[in-house]
Structures are given as C-alpha cells and as structure tokens.
C-alpha cells in the first residue's frame, strides 16, 4: 500500500477534500430552504430529484465499499498496482451519505408541498427501473467469481450516467419556462465550487504519487466533477445571463382587468401592472 511522500501535500489533499465535501453538502440546503419558505416545489423538476436519488445511492455503494472493504481494496491493488493509493477518501463517503439523506428530504417536500401540475415522468421512472434491473443482473454475474471491484465499478458508471441524465430535465425546464424561479442558484454555485475542489484534490494526490492512476482508477469521480461543472455553467448562464429569477414572461392584463383590480378592496395598491 502506498503512503504519502509529502506531509504538506497530504494536508492539502485533506483540505481540498473537505472543501469539496462542504461545498457539495451545503449545496443541497438552499433548495430545501427555498422549498420550505415557499411551501411549494413548483419550478423544481421532479425527474431531477428521482434520478438524483438513484445517482447518489449508486455513488454511496461505490464509495463506501471501496473505502471500507479490504476485499475490494485488495482487488483494486491487484488491478492497478500495490504501490497505488485507494482513490476514495473519507470525504467522498461522507458526501454521498449526506447527499442521499438530503435527497430523501426533498422527496418528502415534494410529497407534502404545493406542486401544481408537476409530476414525475414515465420516462424517468422507466430509466430508474432499468438502471436498478441492470445493477441486479450485474450482481448475479459478479457473485460466482466474487468480482466485487467490477461490480462497484458498474455502480460508479451508473452514477456518472445518472448525473448526465438528471440535470437535463431541469435545464430543459428552465429553457421552456424562460426563467429559473424555484430552482436555487445558491446550490448551483456551491456545487460548482465542490467540483473545482474535487479536481484539485485528485491533482494533489497525483503530484505526490507521481502517478495519474487515481484519475483512471476512479473514472466516476473524474466524470462526476466534469459533468457537474458543465451543467453548473449552463445553469449559471440561464440564471445570470439568459433568464434569471423572476423574469418569467407574464401576459399583460387587459384594460378591464386593470380597472377591476384598481377598484378591488383586496388590491388597494397596484404596482408594476
């Protein structure tokens, strides 16, 4: 098993790792707080949340197994070399565990808060069903030969695929509505910061070990950060450049509607009509 060559780099690695954890962990709270304050989940794409729970669950299975299982670690060393380091850190396990919990909270909010006419699409439900069916088949394939590293690598690829898929409905919804109301930009900014810190952590490990195997050995973490950063840039562009919160296109009122509002006791002051 490899060890650190530089104490400062090891400390830097841990710092970047926990910065990534805090950024990604806190990123989930602005949406939860926004839903709570509005008592509504209108504007939050339900497909995004359903796909997200599958994504985070798959990532948790990968991280926790590779971090805690000596059997899987042995298989990793046999594949990539005993002079390499395990590419999963404690902050990775903490992040994925925390993310599963927060996503379950959002699902509860969807169940109890006002949601308009929004529903989970049959396409998303079908995707989730297919993904877990594939995972089940892969488990029985790995069982006879105890190919556990291969199996958790499948879960790692699942989480990458779900990351790509999950952001698409929200991006399309923003585009279709021409606004970002109901979707927290604060979470996007924190998610972006987490992706940058994640790359920095992996780079520090590679510099210390003089090897880039930790990138190829954990391709899921590499692609996770890349996809997250890419979509975060899209969401930031939609919010700050294209649409922005509160820029929804609202049909202008007729003169009769304006007059009725002015005379109404429920509208003593009429602004921006």
């Amino acid at each position: 098993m490899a060890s650190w060559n530089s104490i400062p780099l090891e400390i830097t690695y841990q710092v970047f790792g926990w910065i990534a954890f805090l950024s990604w962990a806190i990123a989930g709270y602005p949406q939860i707080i926004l839903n709570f304050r509005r008592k509504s989940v209108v504007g939050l794409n339900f497909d995004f949340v359903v796909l997200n729970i599958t994504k985070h669950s798959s990532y948790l299975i990968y991280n926790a197994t590779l971090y805690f299982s000596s059997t899987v670690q042995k298989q990793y060393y046999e594949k990539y070399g005993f002079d390499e380091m395990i590419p999963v850190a404690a902050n990775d396990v903490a992040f994925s565990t925390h993310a599963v919990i927060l996503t379950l909270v959002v699902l509860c909010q969807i169940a109890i808060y006002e949601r308009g006419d929004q529903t989970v699409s049959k396409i998303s439900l079908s995707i989730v069903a297919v993904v877990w069916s594939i995972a089940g088949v892969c488990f029985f394939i790995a069982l006879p030969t105890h190919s556990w590293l291969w199996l958790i690598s499948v879960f790692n690829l699942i989480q990458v695929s779900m990351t790509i898929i999950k952001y698409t409905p929200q991006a399309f919804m923003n585009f279709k509505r021409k606004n970002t109301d109901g979707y927290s930009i604060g979470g996007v900014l924190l998610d972006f910061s987490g992706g940058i810190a994640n790359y920095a952590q992996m780079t520090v490990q590679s510099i210390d070990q003089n090897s880039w195997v930790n990138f190829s050995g954990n391709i899921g973490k590499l692609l996770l950060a890349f996809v997250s950063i890419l979509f975060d840039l899209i969401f930031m562009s939609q919010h700050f450049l294209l649409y922005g919160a509160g820029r929804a296109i609202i049909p202008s009122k007729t003169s009769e509607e304006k007059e009725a509002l002015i005379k109404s006791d429920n509208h003593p002051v009429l602004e921006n009509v």
Side-chain angles (χ1 to χ4, degrees):
M1 179 177 177
S3 60
W4 285 90
N5 298 312
S6 168
I7 298 300
L9 286 178
E10 180 181 7
I11 295 174
T12 303
Y13 171 86
Q14 295 293 342
V15 169
F16 276 129
W18 288 108
I19 288 176
F21 164 73
L22 289 174
S23 296
W24 276 341
I26 298 174
Y29 286 96
Q31 187 65 58
I32 291 176
I33 294 172
L34 180 63
N35 296 342
F36 174 77
R37 293 178 63 182
R38 298 168 68 230
K39 296 297 186 291
S40 169
V41 289
V42 174
L44 173 64
N45 190 276
F46 295 174
D47 291 346
F48 170 82
V49 181
V50 170
L51 296 169
N52 209 20
I53 190 63
T54 298
K55 179 263 181 187
H56 287 308
S57 299
S58 301
Y59 199 36
L60 175 58
I61 291 171
Y62 172 81
N63 284 331
T65 305
L66 186 53
Y67 187 78
F68 291 110
S69 173
S70 57
T71 300
V72 177
Q73 290 176 358
K74 182 175 181 293
Q75 292 179 6
Y76 181 89
Y77 291 136
E78 290 174 347
K79 180 175 181 179
Y80 294 103
F82 285 88
D83 57 340
E84 296 296 335
M85 300 181 70
I86 295 298
V88 172
N91 65 272
D92 296 316
V93 180
F95 158 70
S96 49
T97 302
H98 185 264
V100 169
I101 295 172
L102 285 192
T103 307
L104 289 175
V105 171
V106 175
L107 285 172
C108 291
Q109 290 183 319
I110 289 176
I112 64 176
Y113 289 154
E114 196 273 323
R115 53 184 178 271
D117 59 353
Q118 294 179 208
T119 59
V120 180
S121 71
K122 294 181 179 179
I123 295 178
S124 293
L125 293 175
S126 299
I127 291 174
V128 170
V130 169
V131 164
W132 286 111
S133 297
I134 293 174
V137 170
C138 290
F139 171 78
F140 287 107
I141 292 175
L143 187 59
T145 57
H146 295 175
S147 304
W148 306 127
L149 179 63
W150 171 79
L151 178 61
I152 66 168
S153 297
V154 171
F155 279 102
N156 205 11
L157 291 176
I158 286 175
Q159 71 91 6
V160 173
S161 301
M162 298 306 290
T163 300
I164 297 173
I165 297 172
K166 75 169 186 174
Y167 282 123
T168 303
Q170 186 67 57
F172 181 74
M173 174 182 277
N174 294 345
F175 168 77
K176 186 177 180 180
R177 297 167 70 232
K178 294 297 185 291
N179 75 80
T180 57
D181 290 344
Y183 187 59
S184 173
I185 191 62
V188 173
L189 296 174
L190 287 165
D191 188 61
F192 180 80
S193 300
I196 298 298
N198 177 77
Y199 273 139
Q201 182 191 34
M202 298 179 76
T203 302
V204 167
Q205 180 177 332
S206 296
I207 293 173
D208 179 83
Q209 298 293 300
N210 194 28
S211 170
W212 298 93
V213 171
N214 69 304
F215 280 90
S216 58
N218 193 353
I219 192 69
K221 186 176 180 180
L222 174 70
L223 294 178
L224 165 64
F226 174 77
V227 173
S228 297
I229 289 173
L230 176 62
F231 273 95
D232 288 337
L233 290 172
I234 292 175
F235 291 136
M236 285 188 281
S237 297
Q238 289 180 323
H239 183 84
F240 294 112
L241 300 178
L242 300 177
Y243 317 132
R247 297 182 188 174
I249 299 176
I250 303 174
S252 59
K253 294 181 176 63
T254 63
S255 58
E256 291 80 5
E257 290 175 325
K258 292 180 180 180
E259 183 178 353
L261 286 172
I262 294 174
K263 293 179 179 180
S264 174
D265 292 335
N266 295 327
H267 299 83
V269 179
L270 187 61
E271 297 179 352
N272 299 325
V273 177

